[in-house]
Amino acid sequence: KQEVTQIPAALSVPEGENLVLNCSFTDSAIYNLQWFRQDPGKGLTSLLLIQSSQREQTSGRLNASLDKSSGRSTLYIAASQPGDSATYLCAVKGVTGGGNKLTFGTGTQLKVEL
Amino acid sequence: EPEVTQTPSHQVTQMGQEVILRCVPISNHLYFYWYRQILGQKVEFLVSFYNNEISEKSEIFDDQFSVERPDGSNFTLKIRSTKLEDSAMYFCASSGERGNYGYTFGSGTRLTVV
């Protein structure tokens, strides 16, 4: 059964810092990995999608890497801003099973302070 | 950008009542999903739906739950007799194809059972 873990659970940084969020998964048989942002009480906004054959994806100040064989992904946020404060979730889409489901981590709650 | 639309955004119901949560997936997507998130917990998979039938479901998705795509645009989740522990945020999602496509999530329906 796929298990997804995210470290740290919470992070508080001053504005302008570069930071790294970590995600690990136990079953490397995946189609892809997706990073989401969730604001309090809100839905899930997709940030980056990395296919299993890719090593990284970039969007603006965000860069996500994937090492499928070791079951790890990192989300790098450059020059953090207060507007980046949110919970960041990683989720993997497994190959096994008929439905293509996502398995989510518990998230990293990020607070960027002025 | 195409969106997944969910209604209502918040629903309060009495224990034992039936509720129907509604979703309009992205029009050219083929896979449809329901996930839920109990407050403070992980986002959990409930069910996936493809080609007018359930393709995978979790242990949570028992006989009290059902899904339907009554027409070409709507996708619904019905809970027949709600329990207090059904209180959660319910997310609908869709994706284009099996495998490499990412998910698009709706903004969620917060269900409160009293």
Side-chain angles (χ1 to χ4, degrees), chain B residues 9-25:
Chain B
S9 57
H10 190 191
Q11 180 151 3
V12 180
T13 189
Q14 289 202 326
M15 193 167 51
Q17 294 296 305
E18 173 182 289
V19 295
I20 298 176
L21 310 182
R22 302 181 191 279
C23 170
V24 179

PDB file of all heavy atoms in Angstrom, chain B residues 9-25:
ATOM      1  N   SER B   9     -21.279  24.938  -1.802  1.00  0.00           N
ATOM      2  CA  SER B   9     -19.973  25.107  -1.179  1.00  0.00           C
ATOM      3  C   SER B   9     -20.018  24.639   0.280  1.00  0.00           C
ATOM      4  O   SER B   9     -19.002  24.195   0.825  1.00  0.00           O
ATOM      5  CB  SER B   9     -19.505  26.559  -1.250  1.00  0.00           C
ATOM      6  OG  SER B   9     -20.455  27.405  -0.649  1.00  0.00           O
ATOM      7  N   HIS B  10     -21.188  24.762   0.906  1.00  0.00           N
ATOM      8  CA  HIS B  10     -21.338  24.326   2.288  1.00  0.00           C
ATOM      9  C   HIS B  10     -22.741  23.766   2.470  1.00  0.00           C
ATOM     10  O   HIS B  10     -23.715  24.382   2.016  1.00  0.00           O
ATOM     11  CB  HIS B  10     -21.095  25.510   3.247  1.00  0.00           C
ATOM     12  CG  HIS B  10     -20.987  25.106   4.688  1.00  0.00           C
ATOM     13  ND1 HIS B  10     -20.987  26.031   5.721  1.00  0.00           N
ATOM     14  CD2 HIS B  10     -20.871  23.897   5.286  1.00  0.00           C
ATOM     15  CE1 HIS B  10     -20.884  25.396   6.879  1.00  0.00           C
ATOM     16  NE2 HIS B  10     -20.813  24.103   6.636  1.00  0.00           N
ATOM     17  N   GLN B  11     -22.840  22.608   3.115  1.00  0.00           N
ATOM     18  CA  GLN B  11     -24.136  22.002   3.388  1.00  0.00           C
ATOM     19  C   GLN B  11     -24.165  21.485   4.810  1.00  0.00           C
ATOM     20  O   GLN B  11     -23.243  20.777   5.234  1.00  0.00           O
ATOM     21  CB  GLN B  11     -24.432  20.878   2.412  1.00  0.00           C
ATOM     22  CG  GLN B  11     -25.764  20.215   2.646  1.00  0.00           C
ATOM     23  CD  GLN B  11     -26.388  19.633   1.393  1.00  0.00           C
ATOM     24  OE1 GLN B  11     -25.804  19.673   0.324  1.00  0.00           O
ATOM     25  NE2 GLN B  11     -27.580  19.095   1.535  1.00  0.00           N
ATOM     26  N   VAL B  12     -25.241  21.851   5.505  1.00  0.00           N
ATOM     27  CA  VAL B  12     -25.470  21.353   6.858  1.00  0.00           C
ATOM     28  C   VAL B  12     -26.678  20.425   6.792  1.00  0.00           C
ATOM     29  O   VAL B  12     -27.709  20.773   6.221  1.00  0.00           O
ATOM     30  CB  VAL B  12     -25.738  22.505   7.849  1.00  0.00           C
ATOM     31  CG1 VAL B  12     -25.960  21.953   9.251  1.00  0.00           C
ATOM     32  CG2 VAL B  12     -24.577  23.495   7.847  1.00  0.00           C
ATOM     33  N   THR B  13     -26.539  19.238   7.382  1.00  0.00           N
ATOM     34  CA  THR B  13     -27.622  18.277   7.334  1.00  0.00           C
ATOM     35  C   THR B  13     -27.749  17.576   8.672  1.00  0.00           C
ATOM     36  O   THR B  13     -26.778  17.488   9.442  1.00  0.00           O
ATOM     37  CB  THR B  13     -27.409  17.255   6.210  1.00  0.00           C
ATOM     38  OG1 THR B  13     -28.584  16.459   6.061  1.00  0.00           O
ATOM     39  CG2 THR B  13     -26.236  16.337   6.517  1.00  0.00           C
ATOM     40  N   GLN B  14     -28.930  17.062   8.932  1.00  0.00           N
ATOM     41  CA  GLN B  14     -29.123  16.315  10.172  1.00  0.00           C
ATOM     42  C   GLN B  14     -28.721  14.864   9.980  1.00  0.00           C
ATOM     43  O   GLN B  14     -28.888  14.287   8.885  1.00  0.00           O
ATOM     44  CB  GLN B  14     -30.588  16.397  10.592  1.00  0.00           C
ATOM     45  CG  GLN B  14     -30.995  17.783  11.089  1.00  0.00           C
ATOM     46  CD  GLN B  14     -32.225  17.723  11.966  1.00  0.00           C
ATOM     47  OE1 GLN B  14     -33.102  16.886  11.736  1.00  0.00           O
ATOM     48  NE2 GLN B  14     -32.296  18.593  12.948  1.00  0.00           N
ATOM     49  N   MET B  15     -28.202  14.269  11.032  1.00  0.00           N
ATOM     50  CA  MET B  15     -27.810  12.868  11.015  1.00  0.00           C
ATOM     51  C   MET B  15     -28.974  12.020  10.517  1.00  0.00           C
ATOM     52  O   MET B  15     -30.129  12.229  10.909  1.00  0.00           O
ATOM     53  CB  MET B  15     -27.432  12.462  12.434  1.00  0.00           C
ATOM     54  CG  MET B  15     -26.717  11.170  12.566  1.00  0.00           C
ATOM     55  SD  MET B  15     -25.994  10.971  14.217  1.00  0.00           S
ATOM     56  CE  MET B  15     -27.367  11.310  15.277  1.00  0.00           C
ATOM     57  N   GLY B  16     -28.657  11.086   9.619  1.00  0.00           N
ATOM     58  CA  GLY B  16     -29.680  10.204   9.082  1.00  0.00           C
ATOM     59  C   GLY B  16     -30.304  10.686   7.787  1.00  0.00           C
ATOM     60  O   GLY B  16     -30.989   9.914   7.110  1.00  0.00           O
ATOM     61  N   GLN B  17     -30.062  11.938   7.439  1.00  0.00           N
ATOM     62  CA  GLN B  17     -30.611  12.478   6.196  1.00  0.00           C
ATOM     63  C   GLN B  17     -29.725  12.108   5.004  1.00  0.00           C
ATOM     64  O   GLN B  17     -28.537  11.842   5.146  1.00  0.00           O
ATOM     65  CB  GLN B  17     -30.727  14.003   6.281  1.00  0.00           C
ATOM     66  CG  GLN B  17     -31.736  14.492   7.310  1.00  0.00           C
ATOM     67  CD  GLN B  17     -33.151  14.066   6.954  1.00  0.00           C
ATOM     68  OE1 GLN B  17     -33.632  14.352   5.862  1.00  0.00           O
ATOM     69  NE2 GLN B  17     -33.801  13.366   7.861  1.00  0.00           N
ATOM     70  N   GLU B  18     -30.334  12.105   3.842  1.00  0.00           N
ATOM     71  CA  GLU B  18     -29.605  11.870   2.600  1.00  0.00           C
ATOM     72  C   GLU B  18     -29.083  13.204   2.062  1.00  0.00           C
ATOM     73  O   GLU B  18     -29.772  14.226   2.154  1.00  0.00           O
ATOM     74  CB  GLU B  18     -30.552  11.246   1.568  1.00  0.00           C
ATOM     75  CG  GLU B  18     -29.951  11.095   0.179  1.00  0.00           C
ATOM     76  CD  GLU B  18     -30.952  10.528  -0.813  1.00  0.00           C
ATOM     77  OE1 GLU B  18     -31.277   9.332  -0.713  1.00  0.00           O
ATOM     78  OE2 GLU B  18     -31.400  11.303  -1.690  1.00  0.00           O
ATOM     79  N   VAL B  19     -27.869  13.184   1.526  1.00  0.00           N
ATOM     80  CA  VAL B  19     -27.329  14.372   0.868  1.00  0.00           C
ATOM     81  C   VAL B  19     -26.796  13.989  -0.505  1.00  0.00           C
ATOM     82  O   VAL B  19     -26.345  12.869  -0.722  1.00  0.00           O
ATOM     83  CB  VAL B  19     -26.202  15.054   1.671  1.00  0.00           C
ATOM     84  CG1 VAL B  19     -26.722  15.604   2.980  1.00  0.00           C
ATOM     85  CG2 VAL B  19     -25.039  14.127   1.901  1.00  0.00           C
ATOM     86  N   ILE B  20     -26.869  14.937  -1.412  1.00  0.00           N
ATOM     87  CA  ILE B  20     -26.288  14.774  -2.748  1.00  0.00           C
ATOM     88  C   ILE B  20     -25.346  15.942  -2.991  1.00  0.00           C
ATOM     89  O   ILE B  20     -25.750  17.102  -2.920  1.00  0.00           O
ATOM     90  CB  ILE B  20     -27.367  14.716  -3.846  1.00  0.00           C
ATOM     91  CG1 ILE B  20     -28.275  13.504  -3.633  1.00  0.00           C
ATOM     92  CG2 ILE B  20     -26.709  14.646  -5.227  1.00  0.00           C
ATOM     93  CD1 ILE B  20     -29.429  13.415  -4.617  1.00  0.00           C
ATOM     94  N   LEU B  21     -24.106  15.608  -3.258  1.00  0.00           N
ATOM     95  CA  LEU B  21     -23.105  16.613  -3.592  1.00  0.00           C
ATOM     96  C   LEU B  21     -22.915  16.593  -5.104  1.00  0.00           C
ATOM     97  O   LEU B  21     -22.809  15.521  -5.709  1.00  0.00           O
ATOM     98  CB  LEU B  21     -21.786  16.322  -2.876  1.00  0.00           C
ATOM     99  CG  LEU B  21     -21.877  16.071  -1.368  1.00  0.00           C
ATOM    100  CD1 LEU B  21     -20.489  15.857  -0.784  1.00  0.00           C
ATOM    101  CD2 LEU B  21     -22.617  17.166  -0.654  1.00  0.00           C
ATOM    102  N   ARG B  22     -22.824  17.778  -5.684  1.00  0.00           N
ATOM    103  CA  ARG B  22     -22.820  17.874  -7.143  1.00  0.00           C
ATOM    104  C   ARG B  22     -21.515  18.444  -7.671  1.00  0.00           C
ATOM    105  O   ARG B  22     -20.893  19.294  -7.044  1.00  0.00           O
ATOM    106  CB  ARG B  22     -23.992  18.736  -7.608  1.00  0.00           C
ATOM    107  CG  ARG B  22     -25.331  18.204  -7.158  1.00  0.00           C
ATOM    108  CD  ARG B  22     -26.499  19.033  -7.622  1.00  0.00           C
ATOM    109  NE  ARG B  22     -27.723  18.616  -6.933  1.00  0.00           N
ATOM    110  CZ  ARG B  22     -28.451  17.563  -7.276  1.00  0.00           C
ATOM    111  NH1 ARG B  22     -28.100  16.829  -8.323  1.00  0.00           N
ATOM    112  NH2 ARG B  22     -29.534  17.246  -6.594  1.00  0.00           N
ATOM    113  N   CYS B  23     -21.173  17.985  -8.857  1.00  0.00           N
ATOM    114  CA  CYS B  23     -19.908  18.377  -9.478  1.00  0.00           C
ATOM    115  C   CYS B  23     -20.117  18.465 -10.985  1.00  0.00           C
ATOM    116  O   CYS B  23     -20.847  17.646 -11.563  1.00  0.00           O
ATOM    117  CB  CYS B  23     -18.845  17.334  -9.135  1.00  0.00           C
ATOM    118  SG  CYS B  23     -17.284  17.479 -10.021  1.00  0.00           S
ATOM    119  N   VAL B  24     -19.485  19.451 -11.590  1.00  0.00           N
ATOM    120  CA  VAL B  24     -19.409  19.502 -13.052  1.00  0.00           C
ATOM    121  C   VAL B  24     -17.935  19.404 -13.412  1.00  0.00           C
ATOM    122  O   VAL B  24     -17.171  20.368 -13.218  1.00  0.00           O
ATOM    123  CB  VAL B  24     -20.024  20.790 -13.622  1.00  0.00           C
ATOM    124  CG1 VAL B  24     -19.893  20.798 -15.146  1.00  0.00           C
ATOM    125  CG2 VAL B  24     -21.478  20.921 -13.212  1.00  0.00           C
ATOM    126  N   PRO B  25     -17.479  18.227 -13.889  1.00  0.00           N
ATOM    127  CA  PRO B  25     -16.067  18.068 -14.250  1.00  0.00           C
ATOM    128  C   PRO B  25     -15.725  18.850 -15.519  1.00  0.00           C
ATOM    129  O   PRO B  25     -16.601  19.391 -16.183  1.00  0.00           O
ATOM    130  CB  PRO B  25     -15.941  16.555 -14.498  1.00  0.00           C
ATOM    131  CG  PRO B  25     -17.175  15.942 -13.936  1.00  0.00           C
ATOM    132  CD  PRO B  25     -18.242  16.992 -14.036  1.00  0.00           C
TER     133      PRO B  25
END
